[in-house]
Amino acid sequence: MSVAAAHVGPGEQQLPQDQPQRKRGLTGYLLLLPGALWLLVFFVVPTVTLVSTSLYDPTGSISTGYQMTFHWQNYVEAVQEYAPQLWRSFVYAGLATIACMLLGYPLAYAIAFKSGRWKNLMLVLVIAPFFTSFLVRTLSWQLLLGDNGWAVDVLRTLGILGADGHLLATPFAVVTGLTYNFLPFMVLPLYASLEKLDPRMLEAGADLYAAPFTTFRKITLPLSMPGLVAGTLLTFIPAAGDYINSELLGTPTTRMIGNEIQDLFAAGAYPVAAALSVTLMIVIVSMVFFYVRRSGTEDLV
Amino acid sequence: MPSADLVLSAVTKRFGSFTAVEDLDLTVPEGSFFALLGPSGCGKTTTLRMVAGLEEPTAGTIRLGDADITHLRPYKRPVNTVFQSYALFPHLTIFENVAFGLRRRGADNVKTQVHEMLELVELEQYAGRKPAQLSGGQQQRVALARALINRPQVLLLDEPLGALDLKLRRQMQIELKRIQTEVGITFVHVTHDQEEAMTMADTVAVMNAGVIEQMGEPLELYENPATTFASNFLGQSNLVAGRVLERSADTVLLDVQGTKLVAPAARAQSRQQDVWVGVRPEKVFLAAAETETDDGSNALRGAVVTDVSFVGVSTQYLARLPWGQELTVFEQNTGARESFRRGERVDLHWMPGHTFLLDAAQDASAGVEKEEDL
């Protein structure tokens, strides 16, 4: 609409044709400039640097410098060596995302529909953990899940956990940590899309013979899909690349791809580390692409 | 066949300390087009929602035929609603919106039924579209189709035409009436538009502050208002304070500021001495001052025209009586009637048979529509 109006405008006002049009063209580019610069500095340059680093000669080091040899074998080496960690990352991130969904949906639903005057307080409580460093919060899970913590005590008493069973330093601890850390990123977009849902939709569902669960399945869930998709992306993507939870709550057998990349960079093996990073990026982007296509919310991304 | 009348008995609904509906008794005969008319906040929508099952009455019972549906969950009631804002499902196509109720009940040949229904509301070619791609009037018809296709025993309409412009509204009023006659389902229509209620409904219930003030056929309601609220909310009325001098079997003799007026005894709603003497503006004729009549009409003399507005089919006059009260007069522009200018002295005449008497204890301005309500 506005585009059409803009084209009609000058003709109707009988303005000189050349000047205003050239001016408008320039204005457009000027307005694009800050965004374009931002993208260039913070997206294009780092990506190009990362991709070119991944093709450097792996025999170089920080002291001797690296040479660009288009050594694509870096990728083969990276994938061959770190396939288990790569796979584990996606499994852990997937489990954490599912856990976030199961915990976050009822929470977001409660905040959007049932909280009444407590709504703002509940939202603040969801965001409140961000006021503390996530390192400290993850460390505190060591205490919660530790062998002397009450969680282990309770589970041992109930017999769910054997007498010598542990919670800390298990895949369970890592997935729990991931779930905890990324839960707000699931809750907030879900809340935003549930909040927009007109309660009369639910009344209309009930009026048209849909029992509460059917109304949820046929109306609430489809209408909150954009929030759910955004939430899963915001949870899954950073969780797949996370290394803090595995570092603090896991063991060498629960190492994720983030841990390996971090170690490789620390050891100065830049080309392989970069190749691993690019591989992770490509896998995630293609997974996201298929996921978004499948859930039919292309307009989201 | 057992009757499937909708019967509300002593229904009360309170929200906290606010009473939305008070001790309401209402019978809607099967197959009728029933309108609940009242200003916003009078409890008409709450009444409708209780019938739909979206609100639970604080007290009282709602019966549909032999079944008590007071506490039945909404999805178990043979009742469907056309919501005020339509509440169409934005993620479903028009076809799926209309098919929603049928699918929930596992009906057969959904496809044929939906196409038949879309044909009835003249929207066959839009079956594949989403609600957002339709105009307001079309969305309204989808909402109607979505409810009607379930063949409910009662169809509830919550101000269904409120969002449409005037011309479309008139068109849809006729359309709704046509569809109701065609399908023969009981329609309960909630509206604040008196013209809408009178055009479509067989029976109109005028509701105010949680209670029904008067109920009846539109003509009956208009000609014989029982309360000042009904007389003002349904059309306009001139109400003048008067005293009863004498009551006979057929007529009531009145005194209004020294003038003797006559009213039919059948149209007196009050047994008291002090009454409101009412007459509809279109029943009043203006005549030049001191014009004599010999047809025994009621006359209030010595008025001055204070405002003249030409409305096309009629001219609306305001005439100030000697005691300062202004009455409204509609004169049809037939060409046969004399016209007056502002400041001219006139007499007001009307047939005694058009006079009605109301209880003077009631507020004479109750139900007068204020600007913000329109």
Side-chain angles (χ1 to χ4, degrees), chain A residues 103-119:
Chain A
L103 290 172
Y105 205 106
L107 180 57
Y109 191 92
I111 299 175
F113 292 122
K114 308 285 179 194
S115 58
R117 62 202 177 95
W118 302 105
K119 184 178 277 185

Side-chain angles (χ1 to χ4, degrees), chain B residues 242-287:
Chain B
R243 275 172 62 84
V244 175
L245 294 178
E246 202 184 302
R247 286 179 193 269
S248 70
D250 300 335
T251 58
V252 180
L253 186 64
L254 302 146
D255 171 82
V256 173
Q257 309 278 341
T259 308
K260 301 262 188 301
L261 299 179
V262 180
R267 306 188 69 194
Q269 302 284 347
S270 171
R271 299 272 113 210
Q272 305 296 311
Q273 180 116 64
D274 288 313
V275 290
W276 289 116
V277 180
V279 63
R280 296 286 187 183
E282 75 280 3
K283 305 282 194 321
V284 183
F285 299 102
L286 286 185

Side-chain angles (χ1 to χ4, degrees), chain A residues 11-91:
Chain A
E12 279 181 347
Q13 290 165 18
Q14 299 289 317
L15 285 175
Q17 285 292 312
D18 291 347
Q19 197 139 351
Q21 267 179 10
R22 200 169 55 221
K23 232 182 196 168
R24 198 180 304 122
L26 274 178
T27 315
Y29 289 117
L30 277 173
L31 286 171
L32 274 177
L33 197 61
L37 269 177
W38 196 93
L39 274 180
L40 188 72
V41 174
F42 293 107
F43 178 71
V44 178
V45 172
T47 308
V48 169
T49 313
L50 183 69
V51 172
S52 50
T53 307
S54 74
L55 296 169
Y56 285 165
D57 178 9
T59 55
S61 71
I62 303 175
S63 44
T64 58
Y66 295 95
Q67 277 179 338
M68 181 54 160
T69 55
F70 291 99
H71 190 82
W72 55 268
Q73 288 88 340
N74 284 341
Y75 282 89
V76 179
E77 193 189 324
V79 172
Q80 272 175 353
E81 191 152 345
Y82 298 106
Q85 286 87 343
L86 208 54
W87 173 244
R88 192 179 295 135
S89 295
F90 290 121
V91 171

Side-chain angles (χ1 to χ4, degrees), chain B residues 12-27:
Chain B
T12 296
K13 177 67 186 176
R14 289 193 195 87
F15 296 101
S17 60
F18 174 72
T19 305
V21 175
E22 189 157 19
D23 201 20
L24 184 84
D25 288 304
L26 191 65
T27 300

Side-chain angles (χ1 to χ4, degrees), chain B residues 45-359:
Chain B
T45 296
T46 308
T47 307
L48 196 78
R49 289 172 60 84
M50 286 191 288
V51 176
L54 301 170
E55 304 281 357
E56 205 166 327
T58 314
T61 58
I62 300 171
R63 304 180 65 82
L64 190 55
D66 296 329
D68 185 338
I69 60 166
T70 316
H71 302 289
L72 205 60
R73 304 294 296 274
Y75 56 90
K76 292 189 172 157
R77 295 186 185 208
V79 169
N80 289 112
T81 311
V82 177
F83 289 85
Q84 185 166 12
S85 52
Y86 316 140
L88 299 178
F89 305 129
H91 59 298
L92 299 179
T93 59
I94 300 311
F95 182 94
E96 284 303 325
N97 261 284
V98 175
F100 195 89
L102 290 183
R103 291 208 196 284
R104 297 292 82 74
R105 294 193 301 175
D108 294 331
N109 51 46
V110 171
K111 204 171 168 188
T112 336
Q113 289 196 54
V114 171
H115 281 297
E116 272 172 23
M117 188 45 70
L118 285 176
E119 210 166 299
L120 181 72
V121 296
E122 294 161 6
L123 285 173
E124 311 95 299
Q125 68 272 41
Y126 298 105
R129 296 211 192 167
K130 294 281 178 73
Q133 293 167 304
L134 264 54
S135 72
Q138 291 167 335
Q139 289 184 20
Q140 204 280 330
R141 281 183 284 165
V142 176
L144 184 66
R146 186 178 70 169
L148 265 184
I149 195 166
N150 305 297
R151 300 273 154 181
Q153 288 184 41
V154 179
L155 182 78
L156 306 172
L157 300 115
D158 186 5
E159 307 245 9
L161 309 179
L164 305 181
D165 62 52
L166 191 68
K167 214 168 174 181
L168 201 54
R169 205 150 68 204
R170 294 276 172 276
Q171 208 177 314
M172 284 304 299
Q173 285 172 9
I174 297 166
E175 191 82 340
L176 268 179
K177 184 69 196 168
R178 172 182 74 84
I179 290 171
Q180 197 266 338
T181 319
E182 218 161 288
V183 298
I185 291 172
T186 313
F187 275 34
V188 179
H189 181 179
V190 154
T191 179
H192 68 274
D193 183 337
Q194 43 114 354
E195 202 177 316
E196 193 173 299
M198 289 200 281
T199 318
M200 293 191 282
D202 310 320
T203 312
V204 176
V206 180
M207 211 171 164
N208 182 34
V211 296
I212 288 181
E213 294 250 342
Q214 194 180 357
M215 199 166 101
E217 285 172 35
L219 183 74
E220 164 69 16
L221 228 62
Y222 186 82
E223 295 298 343
N224 288 321
T227 65
T228 56
F229 180 86
S231 76
N232 289 321
F233 198 76
L234 221 64
Q236 291 182 40
S237 289
N238 292 307
L239 297 176
V240 183
R243 275 172 62 84
V244 175
L245 294 178
E246 202 184 302
R247 286 179 193 269
S248 70
D250 300 335
T251 58
V252 180
L253 186 64
L254 302 146
D255 171 82
V256 173
Q257 309 278 341
T259 308
K260 301 262 188 301
L261 299 179
V262 180
R267 306 188 69 194
Q269 302 284 347
S270 171
R271 299 272 113 210
Q272 305 296 311
Q273 180 116 64
D274 288 313
V275 290
W276 289 116
V277 180
V279 63
R280 296 286 187 183
E282 75 280 3
K283 305 282 194 321
V284 183
F285 299 102
L286 286 185
E290 309 306 329
T291 310
E292 287 307 319
T293 52
D294 50 5
D295 57 1
S297 68
N298 285 331
L300 288 173
R301 298 183 185 276
V304 177
V305 176
T306 53
D307 189 59
V308 182
S309 28
F310 177 70
V311 222
V313 294
S314 64
T315 304
Q316 180 183 339
Y317 294 97
L318 280 182
R320 191 168 61 233
L321 295 165
W323 58 90
Q325 188 181 0
E326 279 184 335
L327 297 191
T328 310
V329 179
F330 294 145
E331 284 275 13
Q332 292 297 312
N333 289 327
T334 54
R337 303 280 313 163
E338 200 179 341
S339 63
F340 298 91
R341 293 166 189 282
R342 191 184 301 189
E344 281 189 83
R345 296 180 61 79
V346 289
D347 291 346
L348 281 66
H349 298 262
W350 70 91
M351 302 301 292
H354 290 147
T355 317
F356 53 85
L357 302 179
L358 301 176
D359 188 346

